[in-house]
Amino acid sequence: MSATFPKFDSDCSSLLCRYLSQQTFSVLHDKVTASGYTFLQAINSGVVNQDSGVGVYAGDAESYTLFAPLFDPIIADYHGFSSTDTHCSNLNPEKLFAPDPDPDAKYILSTRIRVGRNVAGMPLGPGLAAPQRKSIEAQVAKSLTNLSGELAGNYYSLTGMDETVRNQLIADHFLFKAGDRFLEAAGLNRDWPAGRGIFHNLQKTFLVWVNEEDQLRIISMQQGGDLEVVFARLVKAIREIEKSVSFLFDARLGYLTSCPTNLGTAMRASVHIRLPKLSLDMVDFKRITDLHHLQIRGIHGEHSEGEGGIFDISNKRRLGVTEVECVQDMYAGVVALIQQEKVL
Ligand code: ADP
Ligand code: ARG
C-alpha cells in the first residue's frame, strides 16, 4: 500500500517542503535502509513541525545514499555543496588566524566551538536501539574518563542527575535541554533520558554531550573572544578521543551526522555577542551576517530569542569548507559586526 503525500501548510518554507516533489515521494516513500530506518521516519520531523527550516534526519549512513533524491538537493541548498563537490578537512590550529576581535571585552561574552561525531558501525541517533545507545554511552564515557591534564573530568549520566543540577547546567549554557520537538519527531528522544549524559572538565571549558542529536558533541568554550585558544583545545580533545573511538566518516560528505546541516566538519563556532545598536535594525544585521555566511540564534541556543541585545552568532556552512574556514568565517563576520556596532 502506498503512503499518501504529506500535507504542507501554504506558508511552509522548509527545505523538505521545497524539495519533496510528488515524483520524489513516489520513488522514495517505501524505501527502508538495511538497519530498518524508513523514508517516512526521515521526513517525519518536517511534516510534524511545519515551521522547520530543514525538516529531515538521517537514521544511518545509508540514509544519505538511499534517500539521496531528497537529501542531495537539501544538502546542496543548505551548504552550497553540489553532487560533484568534495569535502576536505583542516583541523590544524596553526592555520587559523583569529586574534581576539574584542580584547577589551566590550562585546563578546563567550566563545564556543563544537563538532558533532557519531560512532562508526552504529546507526545514527534516530535509528538507534536502546541497547546500542547504552553501549555507545559506556564506550564514550570510558574513553573520556581516561583523558588527562586540562581535558580531565567526569562523566555525568542524565539518569539519576539531580533536577536542580541539570537545570543549572542548562541555564549556564553547558547542557542540552529536554523535549526538543524537532528531535522528538525525529525519534531522537526515545527512551529518554537513558543513555544520555555530559562529560566536563573542572573549569567546564571542555565538554562532551553524549547521545543528544549526535552521539558525541565535543565542545570547547570559555568566557571572552579568544577563538584560537578555544579552537586549539577542541582539536586536542578530538585527537585524544579518536584514539579510542572511531567516527562515522564519508569521503564525500565528511563526518556523518543525523541532521544534514551538520555534515562535513559538523562544526559550529559561535560567540555570544552584545550588539544593542545594530540589532535594532535586523535588516542591516542580517545583511552583514549573510555576507559572512553566518547564522543568528538567541542566547539559549537554537529556536530561542536574543535577549538584551545579546545574540549567538555562528558559521552556517559546515560542508565543503574546512574547520579552519568555519572559524575563519565566524571571525571575519564578528570583526565586521563589532565594527558596525562601533560606528552606530
Ligand atoms: P549546538 O550548538 O550544539 O547546535 P544550541 O544552539 O542548542 O546547540 O546551543 C547549545 C547551548 O550552547 C545553548 O545553551 C547555547 O546558549 C550555548 N552556546 C552556544 N554558543 C555559545 C557561546 N558562544 N557561549 C556560551 N554558550 C553558548
Ligand atoms: N530540524 C530542525 C529544522 O529543520 C533543525 C535543523 C537544524 N538544527 C539542528 N539542530 N540540526 O528546523
Side-chain angles (χ1 to χ4, degrees):
M1 199 178 73
S2 68
T4 44
F5 190 81
K7 281 202 177 64
F8 290 107
D9 296 346
S10 58
D11 61 350
C12 181
S13 60
S14 68
L15 297 181
L16 168 66
C17 173
R18 188 174 313 161
Y19 295 110
L20 185 65
S21 64
Q22 297 271 1
Q23 211 258 326
T24 306
F25 185 78
S26 70
V27 172
L28 295 179
H29 74 273
D30 56 356
K31 295 264 184 288
V32 187
T33 67
S35 78
Y37 191 71
T38 68
F39 178 71
L40 296 181
Q41 283 174 288
I43 64 171
N44 191 55
S45 191
V47 173
V48 171
N49 298 290
Q50 296 271 323
D51 58 344
S52 289
V54 182
V56 298
Y57 288 86
D60 47 27
E62 194 194 344
S63 303
Y64 283 107
T65 48
L66 191 63
F67 309 144
L70 173 66
F71 276 48
D72 275 353
I74 289 180
I75 291 166
D77 187 304
Y78 183 89
H79 297 279
F81 183 85
S82 79
S83 53
T84 52
D85 283 337
T86 48
H87 177 72
C88 105
S89 170
N90 180 3
L91 271 166
N92 182 354
E94 283 169 21
K95 299 291 180 201
L96 179 68
F97 177 77
D100 190 340
D102 180 31
D104 300 327
K106 285 193 178 146
Y107 306 96
I108 301 179
L109 284 78
S110 52
T111 303
R112 173 183 188 265
I113 311 179
R114 60 83 167 155
V115 290
R117 292 287 186 271
N118 292 281
V119 177
M122 284 283 181
L124 292 161
L128 273 185
Q132 293 174 314
R133 197 182 299 105
K134 284 212 156 179
S135 103
I136 291 168
E137 180 189 37
Q139 185 195 359
V140 173
K142 182 160 178 258
S143 157
L144 294 171
T145 39
N146 283 331
L147 297 176
S148 59
E150 183 194 17
L151 303 179
N154 291 301
Y155 179 72
Y156 306 90
S157 184
L158 234 56
T159 308
M161 185 185 284
D162 184 80
E163 269 301 276
T164 335
V165 172
R166 192 173 69 86
N167 289 331
Q168 194 59 52
L169 284 170
I170 295 170
D172 292 342
H173 308 285
F174 295 126
L175 180 62
F176 48 91
K177 299 171 224 174
D180 180 284
R181 64 189 162 90
F182 299 88
L183 301 188
E184 178 69 32
L188 272 155
N189 294 340
R190 285 166 303 129
D191 316 302
W192 183 276
R196 281 84 174 181
I198 183 173
F199 173 94
H200 64 76
N201 66 357
L202 196 63
Q203 304 79 12
K204 301 197 185 87
T205 53
F206 163 58
L207 308 96
V208 180
W209 293 357
V210 178
N211 284 322
E212 193 242 8
E213 180 176 322
D214 288 304
Q215 290 153 11
L216 294 90
R217 282 286 172 92
I218 307 172
I219 303 162
S220 169
M221 64 195 283
Q222 68 187 45
Q223 302 294 307
D226 198 335
L227 273 64
E228 291 180 356
V229 166
V230 173
F231 185 69
R233 185 192 300 114
L234 177 74
V235 172
K236 189 166 134 193
I238 296 171
R239 295 298 181 223
E240 284 301 317
I241 300 169
E242 63 192 5
K243 286 181 187 166
S244 54
V245 184
S246 303
F247 300 135
L248 202 53
F249 184 82
D250 178 82
R252 185 172 83 92
L253 297 175
Y255 290 100
L256 296 184
T257 51
S258 63
C259 177
T261 63
N262 282 315
L263 288 168
T265 60
M267 174 172 281
R268 191 169 83 90
S270 66
V271 289
H272 275 181
I273 184 167
R274 191 180 283 118
L275 300 166
K277 295 188 179 127
L278 182 57
S279 59
L280 292 177
D281 179 355
M282 286 311 281
V283 174
D284 201 31
F285 190 4
K286 261 202 109 282
R287 180 187 59 79
I288 301 174
T289 53
D290 284 348
L291 194 66
H292 293 277
H293 312 288
L294 301 182
Q295 197 173 60
I296 307 172
R297 294 186 179 187
I299 65 152
H300 295 291
E302 196 172 28
H303 308 117
S304 74
E305 297 297 320
E307 273 174 32
I310 303 170
F311 294 85
D312 170 331
I313 304 295
S314 62
N315 61 298
K316 180 170 183 256
R317 301 183 298 179
R318 313 189 217 287
L319 173 64
V321 285
T322 68
E323 290 82 353
V324 165
E325 286 170 312
C326 288
V327 184
Q328 214 64 71
D329 268 357
M330 195 269 268
Y331 170 74
V334 165
V335 168
L337 289 169
I338 292 177
Q339 208 167 33
Q340 187 62 10
E341 181 72 14
K342 281 182 179 164
V343 168
L344 296 170

